[in-house]
Amino acid sequence: MGIAHCAGRAFARVLLEHGAAKVYAGVRDPARVVDQHLTPLRLDVTEPEQIAEAAAIADDVSIVINNAGVGGSGTGLLEGDFEAAHQAMEVNYFGTWAVSRAFASIVARKGGGALVNMLSLVSWVGQPGFPGYAPPSRPSGH
């Protein structure tokens, strides 16, 4: 679970409040996890090795909330380079897919559970200021 921003922290709090025995906090820098009730887990969704390592460590999960995402700002519809749009695709589309793929068999082996991919409302409507955000984000919600 991406814990770096408010939504990720809120998801973690709710899971703990509802009795979750363990909540992993997937972040690029585990030192940023200061909540003692969370188990830090190094996870950059654009790094296949880190995804595999995270799945090996967190092989006791029953719910995976994928909250990782970037906006893709910096790539305008008619101007700018495609760097930010490429990054949005890597994180929001391929990263989400890779995490889901890595954890699906773990969740299934536990007899069920859930893979939850969080989407922003903005992902449903293209925005001129960051046209690279909606395309990679929305397909993961189907």
Side-chain angles (χ1 to χ4, degrees):
M1 167 186 319
I3 234 48
H5 299 287
C6 294
R9 284 192 295 269
F11 295 138
R13 285 277 110 222
V14 168
L15 290 169
L16 290 166
E17 289 168 6
H18 284 85
K22 182 186 276 187
V23 176
Y24 292 97
V27 292
R28 279 178 248 138
D29 179 9
R32 293 180 61 196
V33 178
V34 295
D35 187 327
Q36 64 190 14
H37 298 100
L38 302 177
T39 302
L41 187 64
R42 181 175 305 282
L43 180 57
D44 180 333
V45 302
T46 65
E47 298 292 336
E49 303 81 23
Q50 285 188 22
I51 295 169
E53 189 175 309
I57 292 169
D59 66 348
D60 55 345
V61 300
S62 56
I63 299 172
V64 176
I65 300 176
N66 191 346
N67 188 49
V70 296
S73 61
T75 300
L77 185 60
L78 300 175
E79 57 193 35
D81 64 36
F82 286 101
E83 182 69 28
H86 283 285
Q87 181 66 14
M89 286 296 286
E90 287 299 319
V91 173
N92 302 348
Y93 185 76
F94 292 112
T96 296
W97 188 358
V99 169
S100 296
R101 182 183 278 184
F103 281 92
S105 63
I106 295 168
V107 171
R109 187 175 64 237
K110 306 266 308 164
L115 294 172
V116 180
N117 293 316
M118 296 308 301
L119 302 174
S120 162
L121 181 61
V122 177
S123 70
W124 291 91
V125 179
Q127 302 291 318
F130 43 102
Y133 180 68
S137 300
R138 190 163 186 260
S140 65
H142 290 301

